[in-house]
């Protein structure tokens, strides 16, 4: 699949702003977005080439689907909604990176963003969030980029103010 042109990355890999620019341009490629096969039951995805060795995914979201709470460990990232609308819930708090199983969150850390087509965001390392398609009828499509390519994803359960580490996934788990 064609990839939008990108500037040469820095020695440290692409920065958050470069990833956000790339996913915005990719999400604006109507032909690419329309080429993603959509499944009425579950998310679909296609891996794309990204700038500077980044990992990029075009993802289709059926109505009512989401990720659950997770982070991308040591990767920075960005995503943009290409079609439909997604909602992101995130935590505006620095969490310890390792060595914990359960945390009590303080008041005021919750953030919600509605991201219609063309809107998105960049995020830093250890950004804890969940993304979902709240629509009862329509698919959403989005473009996501990560650098370095995802070394792991930590999945969390949340009950009220308690956040629990439930699972750590590595790339070999996604094959």
């Amino acid at each position: 699949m064609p990839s939008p042109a990108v500037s040469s990355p820095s020695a440290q890999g692409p920065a958050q702003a470069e990833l956000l620019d790339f996913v915005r341009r990719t999400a604006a490629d109507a032909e690419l977005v329309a080429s993603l096969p959509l499944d009425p039951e579950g998310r679909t995805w296609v891996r794309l080439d990204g700038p500077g060795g980044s990992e990029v995914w075009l993802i289709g979201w059926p109505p009512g689907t989401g990720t659950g709470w997770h982070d991308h460990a040591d990767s920075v990232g960005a995503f943009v909604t290409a079609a439909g609308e997604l909602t992101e819930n995130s935590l505006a708090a620095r969490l310890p990176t390792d060595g914990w199983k359960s945390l009590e969150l303080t008041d005021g850390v919750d953030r919600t963003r509605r991201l219609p087509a063309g809107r998105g965001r960049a995020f830093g390392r250890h950004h804890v969030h969940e993304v979902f398609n709240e629509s009862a009828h329509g698919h959403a499509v989005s473009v996501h980029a990560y650098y370095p390519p995802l070394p792991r994803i930590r999945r969390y359960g949340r009950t009220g103010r308690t956040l629990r580490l439930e699972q750590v996934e590595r790339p070999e788990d996604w094959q």
Side-chain angles (χ1 to χ4, degrees):
M1 288 183 199
S3 296
V6 296
S7 61
S8 57
S10 69
Q12 274 71 46
Q16 292 174 39
E18 291 174 274
L19 294 175
L20 184 57
D21 180 61
F22 181 83
V23 296
R24 280 187 175 136
R25 288 183 287 117
T26 303
D29 183 338
E31 185 177 332
L32 176 64
V33 171
S35 74
L36 180 67
L38 300 177
D39 182 320
E41 301 298 320
R43 288 189 296 155
T44 54
W45 55 87
V46 173
R47 187 168 178 172
L48 306 172
D49 293 328
S54 61
E55 182 173 356
V56 178
W57 296 93
L58 179 65
I59 301 175
W61 306 75
T65 59
T67 61
W69 288 96
H70 69 284
D71 73 13
H72 305 100
D74 296 317
S75 297
V76 297
F79 71 99
V80 168
T81 305
E85 180 176 277
L86 292 173
T87 299
E88 179 199 36
N89 290 329
S90 64
L91 300 178
R94 274 227 179 265
L95 302 180
T97 56
D98 287 305
W100 62 276
K101 296 286 185 192
S102 180
L103 289 174
E104 287 297 314
L105 302 171
T106 58
D107 289 335
V109 299
D110 290 296
R111 301 291 182 266
T112 298
R113 290 178 177 85
R114 297 219 182 277
L115 302 167
R119 298 241 0 244
R121 67 174 311 224
F123 53 86
R125 291 169 168 75
H126 310 290
H127 173 71
V128 177
H129 69 164
E130 64 177 349
V131 178
F132 50 98
N133 177 5
E134 289 186 294
S135 173
H137 306 290
H139 270 77
V141 176
S142 57
V143 182
H144 303 246
Y146 310 101
Y147 187 84
L150 295 173
R152 60 187 167 151
I153 292 178
R154 293 180 292 210
R155 299 211 176 266
Y156 304 98
R158 183 164 180 194
T159 305
R161 290 176 31 186
T162 304
L163 187 70
R164 288 175 318 286
L165 177 63
E166 293 184 342
Q167 182 179 4
V168 177
E169 297 175 1
R170 303 196 182 283
E172 56 270 18
D173 299 327
W174 311 319
Q175 304 302 327

